[in-house]
């Protein structure tokens, strides 16, 4: 998430041509390599799912996608598409969760009485 924020919140996000000019060039290369590593991680997970795939017992989103890929006659359900969908879900899930937790903590800081109730409920 911090990589995306570095792009969107910087001149590089507004002017992509800056990726060819120092000091933005090194930052762009770093972010590009990190994104490639993340895609490699997802591809490895998908490969592992394909090896242990049981169409009669889908375990998660990847398995459900593979079930649909077997039925696909139009070529829509590709591995590339699956990697992109998983990336989208990971980014969306990470951002909303972190923002929700940050907001909850901020609210609890402003309301110690509620914080105390939550504390005793958890214990």
């Amino acid at each position: 998430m911090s990589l995306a924020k570095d792009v969107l919140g910087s001149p590089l996000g507004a002017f992509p041509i800056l990726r060819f000019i120092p000091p933005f060039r090194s930052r762009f290369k770093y972010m590009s390599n990190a994104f490639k590593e993340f895609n490699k991680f997802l591809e490895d997970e998908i490969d592992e799912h394909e090896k242990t795939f049981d169409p009669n017992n889908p375990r998660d989103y990847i398995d459900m996608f593979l079930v649909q890929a077997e039925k696909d006659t139009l070529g829509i359900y590709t591995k590339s598409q699956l990697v992109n969908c998983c990336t989208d879900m990971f980014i969306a899930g990470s951002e909303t969760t972190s923002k929700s937790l940050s907001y909850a903590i901020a609210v609890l800081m402003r309301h110690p009485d509620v914080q105390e109730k939550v504390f005793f409920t958890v214990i």
Side-chain angles (χ1 to χ4, degrees):
M1 293 314 303
S2 65
L3 291 175
K5 289 178 185 175
D6 285 348
V7 172
L8 297 175
S10 73
L12 186 57
F15 305 104
I17 192 74
L18 292 176
R19 70 182 183 270
F20 300 111
I21 302 169
F24 300 104
R25 182 183 179 117
S26 62
R27 189 67 186 154
F28 177 79
K29 282 186 178 184
Y30 173 77
M31 291 183 293
S32 180
N33 287 336
F35 190 71
K36 286 177 186 175
E37 287 179 31
F38 182 68
N39 275 350
K40 175 72 171 117
F41 166 76
L42 289 175
E43 288 171 5
D44 291 345
E45 285 296 313
I46 293 167
D47 289 342
E48 185 64 32
H49 273 72
E50 288 175 333
K51 289 176 188 172
T52 59
F53 178 61
D54 177 8
N56 298 320
N57 188 24
R59 300 164 287 192
D60 54 19
Y61 178 80
I62 294 174
D63 282 353
M64 292 301 295
F65 193 99
L66 295 174
V67 167
Q68 291 301 316
E70 286 184 345
K71 300 175 187 176
D72 182 27
T73 58
L74 300 174
I76 296 171
Y77 293 89
T78 64
K79 186 173 184 177
S80 173
Q81 185 67 21
L82 179 54
V83 169
N84 290 331
C85 288
C86 289
T87 301
D88 289 345
M89 287 196 306
F90 185 88
I91 291 170
S94 298
E95 185 64 15
T96 55
T97 301
S98 67
K99 294 293 183 198
S100 296
L101 288 172
S102 295
Y103 178 74
I105 290 169
V107 168
L108 289 173
M109 288 171 55
R110 292 185 58 85
H111 300 281
D113 56 318
V114 176
Q115 182 180 4
E116 191 172 330
K117 291 177 185 176
V118 170
F119 177 77
F120 285 115
T121 303
V122 173
I123 292 179

